[in-house]
């Protein structure tokens, strides 16, 4: 082979290297943060993950340290870049960074100092159950869902903000001084990654803003009507809220101001469940995905007009890339992977999550056991704030395998209930359901899901779809991809399809038992709070009687 021949592969390699294009993705979840770097074919080439503390001050309370979240993200960027560069890639080939994040989790900070005023209250937190009931009892509460797409519950950010204003002195003082900033995790992260108060990049995209109850889902602007409704105790117009911008934007999200990617633009942002729908390429009406993460979230693309549910679902924004928003119906399940973690951490079943699925496979069925995993009440389509986790059907026959199996089945039952509600709201039955998230790794769980919903379950080989969705948003804004057609072949090879195997009769029988269990797990929290309220009222009455007696005696 001549000299001219040996030089051409080297030139081709150099050219290929110079033409490499990558997009970074910050995936800020409930239990960990990650940074992934995707190539133009949608394949992750580097990833770094870091868990952070889960803070549980009281039963039903769930908090995060907001500064710890930011630090974990910065550490993940650094860690992934080391892997990326070690593999021979240049960081200059990363064209943009996208963000996806846990939704509803609420942060309050001082707009002048940029410092948080309290821990972030996590989306799973149920301390606001009594407040939610109080708000539901107010005149006009039944009209809010038509505006913002959400019912009043412990889930949206608004109840968390009101609780903080009522109960935390630092938050109230900042409010009174006119310095209170409120945002979901995307707004907090973008603000801090852009240097905080120095640059004051304070924005949120519609997929996140729609989870607060403050945004009009039709106009994608803050709603005077909802803000007025919730301002009965505090004037929420005095609170600094982020500007609502498109999910893909070349300039609105600013740029990283420190670390190894300092100066690199942030051009995309999507709440985690919308990001998963985008990552599953659910761009057409009728496409649906279910993400089995800490919680479980099923999104169904309904097109360019929101569908306000009459069957217990949420209306949300799927994405807004070009100023023409696309909407989704959503069913949210509070406990999915966290149910598996409960068996691991609280009951000592195993130290590895995949072992729970293996344990469930040691028994042929659930042994008559039904586990309603209502650790944070029940979300869609039930919306029962006063439910608590309850096991039905325990007997001498019950083994650890039955409990493991019933824990996996609880997620599948709730998914079935959501799909039934979606069929009623949309008038269409799904032909298939695309899945991702940690629990989708369980063959038993996915087969059970297919059996219960009686449609095929399609699981992609590469299941980092949430992070991929954020990368796609950033990539559209920065010109890496220009049309949805370019993404058609992304992440299609090696997918697994689970076909239903159970008879419709047996499936219906199992689901009927679940529905009966749900009806029996209500009222625990409400009854307890009523008893506490009665005791407090009796105590106050007794004190008042004593005072009256003392006054009478002095006379």
């Amino acid at each position: 082979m001549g000299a001219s021949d040996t030089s051409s592969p080297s030139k081709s390699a150099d050219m290929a290297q110079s033409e490499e294009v990558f997009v970074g993705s910050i995936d800020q979840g409930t239990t960990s943060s990650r940074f992934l770097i995707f190539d133009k074919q949608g394949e992750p080439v580097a990833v770094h993950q870091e868990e952070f503390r889960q803070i549980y001050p009281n039963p039903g309370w769930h908090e995060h340290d907001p500064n710890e979240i930011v630090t974990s993200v910065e550490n993940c960027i650094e860690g992934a870049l080391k892997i990326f560069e070690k593999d021979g890639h240049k960081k200059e080939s990363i064209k943009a960074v996208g963000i996806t994040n846990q939704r509803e989790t609420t942060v309050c900070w001082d707009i002048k100092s940029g410092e948080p005023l309290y821990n972030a209250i996590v989306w799973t937190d149920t301390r606001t159950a009594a407040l939610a009931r109080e708000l539901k009892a107010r005149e006009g509460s039944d009209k809010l869902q038509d505006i913002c797409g959400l019912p009043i519950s412990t889930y949206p950010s608004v109840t968390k903000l009101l609780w903080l204003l009522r109960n935390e002195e630092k938050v109230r003082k900042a409010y009174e001084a006119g310095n209170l900033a409120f945002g979901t995790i995307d707004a907090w992260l973008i603000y801090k990654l852009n240097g905080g108060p120095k640059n004051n990049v304070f924005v949120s995209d519609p997929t996140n803003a729609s989870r607060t109850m403050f945004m009009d889902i039709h106009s994608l602007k803050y709603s005077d009507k909802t803000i007025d409704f919730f301002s009965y105790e505090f004037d929420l117009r005095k609170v600094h809220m982020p500007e609502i911008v498109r999910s893909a934007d070349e300039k609105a999200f600013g740029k990283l101001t420190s670390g190894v990617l300092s100066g690199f633009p942030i051009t995309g942002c999507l709440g985690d469940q919308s990001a998963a729908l985008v990552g599953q390429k659910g761009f057409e009406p009728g496409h649906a995905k279910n993400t089995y993460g800490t919680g479980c979230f099923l999104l169904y693309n309904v097109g360019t007009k929101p569908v306000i549910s009459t069957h217990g679902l949420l209306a949300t924004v799927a994405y807004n890339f070009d100023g023409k928003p696309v909407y989704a119906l959503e069913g949210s399940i509070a406990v999915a992977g966290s149910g598996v973690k409960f068996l691991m951490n609280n009951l000592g079943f195993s130290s590895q999550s995949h072992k729970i699925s293996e344990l469930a496979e040691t028994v042929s069925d659930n042994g008559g056991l039904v586990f309603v995993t209502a650790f944070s009440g029940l979300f869609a389509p039930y919306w029962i704030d006063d439910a608590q986790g309850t096991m039905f059907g325990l007997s001498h026959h019950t083994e650890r395998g039955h409990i493991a199996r019933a824990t996996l089945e609880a997620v599948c039952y709730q998914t079935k209930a959501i799909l039934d509600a979606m069929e009623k709201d949309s008038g269409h039955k799904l032909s298939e359901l695309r899945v991702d998230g940690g629990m989708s790794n369980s063959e038993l769980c996915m087969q059970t899901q297919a059996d219960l919903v009686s449609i095929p379950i399609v699981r992609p080989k590469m299941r980092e779809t949430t992070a991929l969705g954020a990368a796609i948003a950033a990539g559209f804004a920065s010109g890496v991809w220009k049309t949805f057609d370019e993404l058609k072949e992304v992440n299609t090879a090696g997918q697994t399809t689970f076909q239903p195997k159970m008879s419709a009769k047996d499936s219906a029988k199992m689901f009927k038992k679940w529905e009966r269990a749900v009806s029996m797990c209500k009222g625990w929290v409400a009854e307890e709070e009523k008893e506490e309220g009665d005791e407090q009222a009796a105590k106050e009455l007794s004190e008042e009687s004593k005072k009256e007696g003392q006054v009478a005696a002095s006379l």
Side-chain angles (χ1 to χ4, degrees):
M1 188 181 287
S4 58
D5 294 324
T6 57
S7 64
S8 57
S10 176
K11 283 180 180 177
S12 298
D14 288 344
M15 189 176 292
Q17 181 75 12
S18 67
E19 291 176 353
E20 279 190 319
V21 173
F22 299 93
V23 181
S25 180
I26 295 167
D27 183 356
Q28 202 300 297
T30 307
T31 58
S32 68
S33 298
R34 300 187 304 154
F35 186 69
L36 298 90
I37 302 171
F38 289 91
D39 62 22
K40 198 172 179 181
Q41 287 69 49
E43 287 295 320
V45 297
V47 59
H48 186 84
Q49 179 171 350
E50 184 171 300
E51 293 193 355
F52 51 86
R53 283 183 304 148
Q54 305 298 308
I55 304 166
Y56 303 103
N58 293 299
W61 294 30
H62 189 183
E63 299 176 359
H64 292 153
D65 180 333
N67 285 328
E68 205 173 306
I69 284 177
V70 176
T71 300
S72 70
V73 166
E74 292 171 339
N75 291 345
C76 289
I77 292 172
E78 184 127 358
L81 253 292
K82 283 182 182 176
I83 297 167
F84 185 70
E85 292 182 324
K86 187 179 178 182
D87 288 344
H89 305 296
K90 294 182 179 178
K91 70 177 183 181
E92 290 75 20
S93 59
I94 299 174
K95 300 305 176 187
V97 174
I99 294 177
T100 183
N101 56 280
Q102 53 171 317
R103 304 169 304 168
E104 294 90 20
T105 298
T106 300
V107 186
C108 284
W109 67 94
D110 188 300
I111 197 72
K112 287 189 174 178
S113 70
E115 289 305 308
L117 300 165
Y118 188 79
N119 280 338
I121 299 183
V122 182
W123 59 272
T124 55
D125 190 286
T126 59
R127 75 185 71 184
T128 61
L131 175 57
R133 286 195 294 276
E134 177 188 317
L135 291 166
K136 283 179 185 176
R138 292 192 66 228
E139 186 179 352
S141 64
D142 57 333
K143 302 290 191 290
L144 296 178
Q145 190 165 356
D146 292 339
I147 301 169
C148 66
L150 308 180
I152 294 173
S153 74
T154 61
Y155 187 31
S157 306
V158 60
T159 54
K160 299 167 175 57
L161 172 61
L162 291 175
W163 187 93
L164 287 166
L165 281 164
R166 276 187 180 184
N167 294 280
E168 287 304 316
E169 188 180 1
K170 279 187 178 180
V171 174
R172 201 160 50 251
K173 282 185 174 179
Y175 163 79
E176 289 165 356
N179 296 330
L180 178 60
F182 150 82
T184 42
I185 289 295
D186 61 311
W188 167 248
L189 258 185
I190 291 164
Y191 176 80
K192 295 296 281 187
L193 294 175
N194 273 276
K198 181 182 177 183
N199 295 312
N200 197 31
V201 179
F202 190 24
V203 297
S204 181
D205 96 296
T207 69
N208 284 293
S210 65
R211 315 304 293 188
T212 64
M213 292 195 78
F214 292 135
M215 191 190 86
D216 184 325
I217 200 166
H218 307 272
S219 67
L220 306 192
K221 295 178 180 177
Y222 288 118
S223 164
D224 289 334
K225 287 183 179 177
T226 60
I227 290 175
D228 286 342
F229 176 87
F230 292 114
S231 290
Y232 70 106
E233 195 173 349
F234 300 93
D235 181 4
L236 297 182
R237 295 175 194 283
K238 286 178 62 177
V239 178
H240 296 269
M241 297 187 188
E243 178 189 355
I244 302 171
V245 299
R246 292 184 306 179
S247 310
D249 195 289
E250 197 174 0
K251 294 182 179 177
F253 302 110
K255 58 188 177 183
L256 299 163
T257 56
S258 63
V260 290
L261 289 183
S262 180
F264 281 62
I266 303 168
T267 60
C269 180
L270 290 165
D272 52 7
Q273 303 315 318
S274 289
L277 183 66
V278 170
Q280 289 274 27
K281 297 170 294 176
F283 300 127
E284 297 294 330
H287 286 180
K289 69 87 199 175
N290 200 14
T291 297
Y292 300 77
T294 301
C296 194
F297 302 88
L298 202 160
L299 262 67
Y300 177 97
N301 185 325
V302 295
T304 55
K305 290 185 179 179
V307 174
I308 305 301
S309 175
T310 56
H311 296 92
L313 303 177
L314 311 179
T316 196
V317 180
Y319 54 87
N320 179 22
F321 290 159
D322 57 4
K324 297 175 183 175
V326 171
Y327 295 92
L329 275 171
E330 175 176 338
S332 309
I333 299 168
V335 175
S338 57
V340 172
K341 285 210 165 188
F342 169 77
L343 298 187
M344 293 163 56
N345 300 338
N346 296 43
L347 301 186
F349 271 35
S350 174
S351 59
Q352 297 173 300
S353 56
H354 71 271
K355 294 286 186 183
I356 301 298
S357 183
E358 291 176 11
L359 181 60
E361 290 171 5
T362 62
V363 292
S364 59
D365 55 36
N366 59 31
L369 189 69
V370 178
F371 187 5
V372 184
T373 51
F375 303 148
S376 299
L378 283 173
F379 287 5
Y382 306 106
W383 299 109
I384 307 170
D385 290 336
D386 61 1
Q388 286 196 319
T390 319
M391 282 190 198
F392 297 94
L394 285 164
S395 69
H396 288 297
H397 171 68
T398 304
E399 300 175 11
R400 286 152 60 93
H402 294 126
I403 296 174
R405 194 168 188 123
T407 304
L408 299 181
E409 287 178 350
V411 181
C412 300
Y413 286 131
Q414 290 175 83
T415 298
K416 155 78 171 165
I418 289 168
L419 280 175
D420 287 351
M422 284 184 172
E423 187 176 338
K424 291 170 186 172
D425 275 328
S426 68
H428 300 287
K429 183 177 174 66
L430 276 184
S431 59
E432 66 175 30
L433 179 65
R434 305 190 70 82
V435 299
D436 52 57
M439 282 183 73
S440 70
N441 293 324
S442 167
E443 306 280 317
L444 173 62
C445 188
M446 293 301 97
Q447 185 56 55
T448 302
Q449 191 67 86
D451 290 342
L452 282 173
V453 299
S454 302
I455 58 172
I457 302 297
V458 181
R459 184 180 68 188
K461 183 179 180 182
M462 196 285 291
R463 294 192 275 284
E464 302 288 3
T465 52
T466 303
L468 176 59
I472 288 171
F476 273 132
S478 57
V480 174
W481 299 287
K482 293 180 176 62
T483 67
F484 291 142
D485 283 345
E486 293 178 55
L487 297 163
K488 275 185 178 177
E489 300 306 314
V490 167
N491 201 24
T492 54
Q495 66 185 21
T496 305
T497 300
F498 296 87
Q499 297 288 351
K501 295 179 180 177
M502 184 180 289
S503 71
K505 182 181 177 182
D506 288 341
S507 173
K509 186 178 178 182
M510 286 179 69
F511 188 65
K512 186 177 180 181
K513 184 178 280 190
W514 162 263
E515 294 273 74
R516 191 161 72 246
V518 167
S519 70
M520 293 168 68
C521 78
K522 302 175 184 177
W524 290 83
V525 179
E527 194 63 37
E528 189 177 280
E529 287 179 352
K530 183 178 182 300
E531 287 171 4
E532 288 174 358
D534 290 345
E535 286 174 12
Q536 182 63 26
K539 185 179 178 182
E540 289 171 1
L541 185 62
S542 175
E543 292 295 326
E544 194 64 34
S545 298
K546 281 182 185 177
K547 287 178 184 176
E548 289 175 1
Q550 289 167 356
V551 171
S554 66
L555 293 173

